[in-house]
Amino acid sequence: MVASGLVDAVLLGAAGAFVLFAVVLVYRIVAGPTMQDRVIAVNAIGTNAVVVLALLAAALDQPGFLDVALVYGMLNFLMSIAISKFTVERGGVI
C-alpha cells in the first residue's frame, strides 16, 4: 500500500515539473523573436499538456484522461501543421 502512494506522489511530482516547464515556455511565446520560435514553444506546451494528462491518468487511476490526452495530442499536431503552412504561404520562412 505504501509503494502505491509513493508511485502516485512521484507521478504527481513529475506532472508538476512538466507544468512548471510549460510555464517557462510561455516566456518564449511572448519574447519570440521569430514566429518559428513561438510555434515550437506552443507545440512544446501542447506536448507537455499531453504528458501531464497521461501522468494524472496513471496517478489518479482515471483512464478517461488518456482519451483526452490522445485527442489533444492529435489536435496539437494538426495545429502545428496549420501554423507552419500559414507562415510558409505568407512568406514568413527565412
Side-chain angles (χ1 to χ4, degrees), residues 10-91:
V10 169
L11 290 173
L12 290 173
F18 276 103
V19 168
L20 287 176
F21 181 58
V23 169
V24 171
L25 282 170
V26 171
Y27 170 76
R28 182 52 49 199
I29 293 173
V30 173
T34 65
M35 183 66 167
Q36 288 81 13
D37 291 329
R38 291 182 173 101
V39 169
I40 290 171
V42 169
N43 193 351
I45 289 175
T47 302
N48 281 344
V50 171
V51 171
V52 167
L53 284 169
L55 289 170
L56 289 176
L60 302 176
D61 197 27
Q62 294 288 328
F65 285 3
L66 288 176
D67 296 335
V68 174
L70 286 172
V71 171
Y72 190 75
M74 288 186 278
L75 289 174
N76 187 38
F77 172 72
L78 290 175
M79 182 270 317
S80 297
I81 298 296
I83 290 176
S84 297
K85 184 172 173 44
F86 178 72
T87 57
V88 168
E89 287 177 356
R90 287 190 55 191

